[in-house]
């Protein structure tokens, strides 16, 4: 992303700060999930293997929320910026963890979600900036974390393609470095892209079916991912642990088979 600098209104010092450009704002998509009370904001951009610019962009967008977010929302929707969560899928899961570890935003995040996060091609082949340290519980996070993994993510679609979530840089490694409180779910028979919509248009959308080993249907994984995210956010943003504890204790049955479930509390 490109940035422009703007003088702070009313400042008596020569202080500038980065604000999103018009292109940045076009890359920002929002939706209000009124039924659950959440606002979903997605930064839609990709700058290649090096994730530094995406991390920086996400920080700039977050710092801009207090003055600019209201312009993207319906007039009757008021954001509570004291209840922010950060999430990302695949490479953007890495971006989310990197930003949470940097703590460079003016607003505080209270929950972190990695959806099948990936930190490169293999252990020793991490993309820049590397996030994983391979030291257990080394992530110095000041928020609750959840990692969602795919059981088929480390399997090859065919011998010609790299796995989409390689062992050594995938969800298992991210969770191993999380501290309390954190939780971990691995969906057994679903792949790295199975939490996406059934219809993913364009060339990139077609690749989501071609490059990664997939389950029989995306719908169960999509429902599970959405449901467990809501349960996690209710727990750590609203102090309502009923759904998350229900899943933990087996009182709530997910829509698919869980290969692994773990909690650090």
């Amino acid at each position: 992303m490109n940035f422009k600098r703007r003088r702070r209104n009313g400042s008596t010092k020569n202080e500038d700060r980065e604000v999103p450009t018009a292109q940045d704002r076009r890359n920002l998509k929002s939706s209000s999930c009124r039924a659950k009370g959440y606002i979903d904001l997605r930064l839609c951009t990709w700058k290649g293997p090096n994730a530094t610019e995406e991390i920086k962009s996400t920080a700039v967008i977050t710092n801009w929320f207090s003055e600019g977010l209201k312009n993207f929302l319906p007039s009757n929707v008021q954001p509570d910026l004291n209840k922010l969560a950060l999430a990302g899928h695949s490479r953007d899961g890495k971006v989310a963890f990197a930003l949470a570890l940097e703590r460079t935003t003016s607003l505080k995040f209270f929950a972190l979600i990695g959806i099948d996060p990936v930190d490169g091609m293999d252990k020793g082949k991490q993309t820049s900036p590397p996030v994983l340290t391979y030291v257990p519980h080394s992530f110095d996070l000041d928020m609750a974390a959840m990692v969602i993994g795919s059981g088929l993510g480390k399997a090859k679609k065919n011998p010609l393609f790299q796995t989409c979530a390689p062992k050594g840089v995938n969800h298992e490694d991210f969770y191993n470095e999380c501290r309390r409180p954190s939780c971990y779910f691995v969906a057994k028979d679903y792949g790295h892209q199975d939490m996406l919509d059934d219809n993913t248009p364009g060339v990139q959308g077609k690749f989501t079916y071609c490059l990664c080993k997939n389950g029989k249907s995306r719908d169960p994984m999509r429902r599970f991912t959405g449901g467990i995210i809501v349960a996690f956010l209710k727990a750590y943003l609203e102090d309502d642990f009923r759904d998350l504890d229900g899943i933990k204790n087996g009182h709530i049955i997910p829509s698919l088979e869980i290969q692994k479930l773990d909690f650090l509390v």
Side-chain angles (χ1 to χ4, degrees), residues 2-221:
N2 297 317
F3 297 93
K4 62 181 181 181
R5 305 191 72 87
R6 187 176 67 188
R7 182 77 48 93
R8 290 178 178 173
N9 291 332
S11 175
T12 58
K13 299 179 181 180
N14 187 25
E15 294 181 301
D16 292 341
R17 64 170 170 171
E18 289 177 316
V19 296
T21 64
Q23 182 61 50
D24 296 341
R25 293 192 291 271
R26 282 192 291 271
N27 287 333
L28 185 68
K29 296 182 179 179
S30 68
S31 63
S32 171
C33 305
R34 297 181 186 178
K36 299 298 181 182
Y38 301 117
I39 299 166
D40 168 31
L41 292 157
R42 285 155 286 161
L43 184 62
C44 303
T45 184
W46 191 78
K47 286 288 187 179
N50 190 320
T52 302
E53 283 300 313
E54 281 89 338
I55 297 166
K56 183 178 179 182
S57 299
T58 306
V60 171
I61 290 288
T62 302
N63 293 336
W64 165 83
F65 279 171
S66 56
E67 65 178 71
L69 178 57
K70 60 182 179 293
N71 299 320
F72 279 76
L73 302 174
S75 59
N76 63 333
V77 175
Q78 298 299 318
D80 184 352
L81 299 181
N82 293 312
K83 294 182 178 181
L84 287 182
L86 182 62
H89 167 246
S90 189
R91 180 177 177 277
D92 288 336
K94 166 200 176 90
V95 169
F97 270 86
L99 181 60
L101 290 165
E102 284 185 357
R103 301 184 189 177
T104 56
T105 58
S106 57
L107 296 173
K108 176 178 171 56
F109 293 103
F110 290 88
L112 172 65
I113 303 168
I115 305 170
D116 222 17
V118 178
D119 191 19
M121 305 295 289
D122 201 347
K123 186 174 181 178
K125 297 181 180 179
Q126 293 165 262
T127 52
S128 186
V131 173
L132 295 170
T133 65
Y134 302 101
V135 177
H137 311 303
S138 60
F139 284 161
D140 184 17
L141 299 167
D142 59 347
M143 67 194 77
M146 178 173 70
V147 177
I148 302 170
S150 63
L152 299 179
K154 60 185 178 182
K156 288 188 175 184
K157 177 80 171 181
N158 64 58
L160 298 177
F161 294 149
Q162 169 81 21
T163 60
C164 289
K167 186 175 178 60
V169 287
N170 67 13
H171 53 86
E172 182 177 3
D173 305 282
F174 275 85
Y175 182 65
N176 284 343
E177 299 196 27
C178 289
R179 298 178 180 177
R180 305 173 190 270
S182 57
C183 53
Y184 180 42
F185 302 89
V186 181
K188 183 179 180 183
D189 295 316
Y190 293 87
H192 184 65
Q193 306 283 12
D194 282 341
M195 63 288 296
L196 303 182
D197 289 340
D198 290 335
N199 180 25
T200 47
V203 175
Q204 287 185 327
K206 294 186 185 303
F207 279 156
T208 67
Y209 280 100
C210 298
L211 298 180
C212 303
K213 190 173 181 61
N214 304 311
K216 293 181 179 179
S217 169
R218 286 182 172 180
D219 183 67
M221 183 63 175

